């Protein structure tokens, strides 16, 4: 039996909306990464961008369990001496409401050119409004 590889010209990319209000950070990120990668399609090809576009709304209302609000740390280094800044989950959510979700999803994608290409198909918004209504996105419930 021959392996079938999907071609870029034959692929159809759909749009999906995920409402993250009150949902766990990891569960939302895992579902979004799976859709971005294209693992929900029968034509999944590991080395091609066969995934769909994902819009995440209410990213500022995502939750984590236990003490992770204070214990989960995000780090950023400027490249200069003593340039390391550390933020807890709660601090980063106040500062940049979309950043924890984007960082978590980026960590679940491949760390190469394909992963960077797939990450461009992710749109994260802090509020409940998004400018992609013309694409007729389908809502995902889980």
């Amino acid at each position: 039996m021959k392996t079938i590889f999907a071609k870029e010209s034959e692929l159809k990319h759909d749009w999906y909306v995920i409402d993250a209000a009150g949902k766990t950070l990891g569960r939302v990120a895992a579902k979004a990464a799976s859709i971005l990668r294209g693992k929900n399609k029968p034509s999944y090809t590991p080395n091609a961008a066969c995934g769909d576009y994902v819009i995440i709304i209410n990213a500022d209302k995502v939750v984590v369990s236990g003490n992770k609000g204070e214990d989960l740390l995000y780090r950023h280094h400027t490249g200069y001496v003593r340039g390391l800044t550390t933020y807890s989950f709660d601090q980063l959510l106040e500062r940049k409401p979309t950043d924890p979700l984007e960082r978590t999803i980026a960590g679940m994608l491949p760390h190469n050119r394909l992963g960077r290409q797939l990450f461009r198909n992710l749109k994260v918004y802090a509020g409940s409004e998004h400018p992609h209504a013309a694409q007729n996105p389908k809502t995902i419930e889980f």
Side-chain angles (χ1 to χ4, degrees), residues 8 49 112-121:
E8 286 288 328
N112 53 23
R113 285 181 290 184
L114 177 63
R116 290 187 292 276
Q117 182 182 358
L118 295 174
F119 188 73
R120 285 188 219 114
N121 297 342

Side-chain angles (χ1 to χ4, degrees), residues 42-140:
S43 62
Y44 169 68
T45 306
N47 60 345
C50 56
D52 297 319
Y53 291 87
V54 176
I55 305 163
I56 299 179
I57 56 174
N58 293 322
D60 55 344
K61 296 181 180 98
V62 73
V63 295
V64 290
S65 61
N67 293 332
K68 290 183 199 142
E70 300 107 25
D71 295 345
L72 186 62
L73 297 178
Y74 294 93
R75 292 174 180 88
H76 171 73
H77 199 285
T78 61
Y80 289 97
V81 177
R82 290 197 221 144
L84 182 68
T85 53
T86 305
Y87 302 103
S88 70
F89 174 79
D90 293 335
Q91 290 171 338
L92 190 61
L93 202 61
E94 280 180 27
R95 193 167 172 265
K96 293 181 182 174
T98 62
D99 211 34
L101 208 48
E102 287 175 350
R103 286 181 182 219
T104 306
I105 293 170
M108 294 181 180
L109 293 175
H111 303 291
N112 53 23
R113 285 181 290 184
L114 177 63
R116 290 187 292 276
Q117 182 182 358
L118 295 174
F119 188 73
R120 285 188 219 114
N121 297 342
L122 175 69
K123 317 293 180 193
V124 182
Y125 298 101
S128 61
E129 300 295 320
H130 64 85
H132 305 287
Q135 280 74 25
N136 298 324
K138 300 173 192 136
T139 305
I140 293 186

Side-chain angles (χ1 to χ4, degrees), residues 16-33:
Y16 294 100
V17 173
I18 298 176
D19 187 5
K23 296 200 172 66
T24 309
L25 173 71
R27 291 183 189 272
V28 172
K31 187 70 171 173

